[in-house]
Amino acid sequence: MGEDRREGKPGEPAANAMWGGRFEQAPDALMTAINASIGFDRRLAAQDIAGSRAHAAMLGAQKIIAAEDARAIDRGLAQIADEIAAGDFAFSEALEDIHMNVEARLAEIVGEPAGRLHTARSRNDQVATDFRLWVRDRTDATIAALERLMRALLDQADAGADVVMPGFTHLQVAQPVTWGHHMMAYVEMAARDRDRFRDARARMNECPLGAAALAGTSFAIDRHATAAALGFDRPCANSLDAVSDRDFAMEFLSAATICATHLSRMAEELVLWSTAQFRFARLSDSFSTGSSIMPQKRNPDAAELVRAKVGRILGAQVALTVVMKGLPLAYSKDMQEDKEPVFDAADALEIALAAAAGMVRDLKPDPEALKRAAAQGFSTATDLADWLVRVLGMPFRQAHHVTGALVKAAEAQGVDLPDLPIEAMQAVEPRIDASVYAVLGVENSARSRSSYGGTAPDQVRAQVARWRAALS
Ligand code: ARG
């Protein structure tokens, strides 16, 4: 930084080269420590360089800086991008953040033109742009990851469209459903999650660059050109808003929290299903871990970690919301605290989605165990009540009552409904005949629920086909 450096007190480091003009002393070590963000915002390096290249090209095209200076800046920034990608870049805490680290290195590479890059720009619009680009990239990656999960679920659903399992309410056996239907429930959730990220992307895709510190600039910049160069739909229309808001990140975290909540529920089911008590499905060795003391154990650690990730993701959402709450317009340094929660949540969601898709691909349902469990707990009682309505013309409320008495009789004999002798049934309702047994089997029960969106294998196959077409 040579010439620009101001001397601090003897023996202390020089004042900051970027804004040292009105400063005589170097910052206290604690000032540097609390102020520096380079430890984490180095993750914005690629976006920062892309933003600067677009800005420099625009400054050149608008003749705000000389064309050869714009070219020199671009060449220097390209070299810095390579250095950072190769791990050859010395990040400096004294240079505070990614923006000043890049600019300082640019000065070393290209000399005087580097000082012209910051014309008509501020770190305020710069960081807002970098962060939007970063969140946008991760939004795209999340959408792709959700589609991979959906495809894994669709394959499970297809293969298990006829496999009968218990459906639960209150975690008590309720009615037979199909494995395919259960998998498709998560497809619907993942699809809405994907759409939430898509919606957020559309709203966030406006470019803050050129808002400068807060008020815009007197230079004849072309904000539409920089917005287009960076893949934004348009520039942000209000410079104060452009540098102040982080709602795009809050929206990302909000969508991430809902998505992680869905993953958590799915993971919980994988945990339950792989217990000795349930034995509904098995995760292979690739997605299980052993115990250091109990040789018999196979633990679903990946599922448990997916179940847990929502904790830190919701934590990030709360953290960013509290940081933003009550901040006056425009930029305040509080907003430097926006990044770490978002980085952490994005990483957590990425691994959770990948692990969830991996487990769904790995999962092997046990059709025998599922069918056995589906038959337990009088799961076809509703089918019996429906039969009384359909065949005997009973009002449903009365049928419900009669079925309750039949369940009580079965319970007293220690049998399930399909095994309750006809005499015992007729003791409760004399008009019942043997044709009732046809609706008491779990497979018939599932097949009969063919209303739109119901659990019948045909319905499940139709939904699988619809989603496959939508994803291709
Ligand atoms: N590192 C800062 C951040 O992340 C960049 C913006 C600094 N702007 C300022 N006016 N001090 O928010």
Side-chain angles (χ1 to χ4, degrees), residues 418-432:
D419 305 316
L420 187 65
I422 191 72
E423 299 75 34
M425 293 210 192
Q426 286 166 345
V428 175
E429 169 52 63
R431 289 179 293 162
I432 297 178

Side-chain angles (χ1 to χ4, degrees), residues 37 41 97 99 123-124 127 331 333 336 339:
S37 53
D41 69 14
D97 58 22
H99 324 297
R123 276 189 295 157
N124 297 349
V127 73
Y331 178 85
K333 195 65 175 248
Q336 182 165 285
K339 292 169 210 51

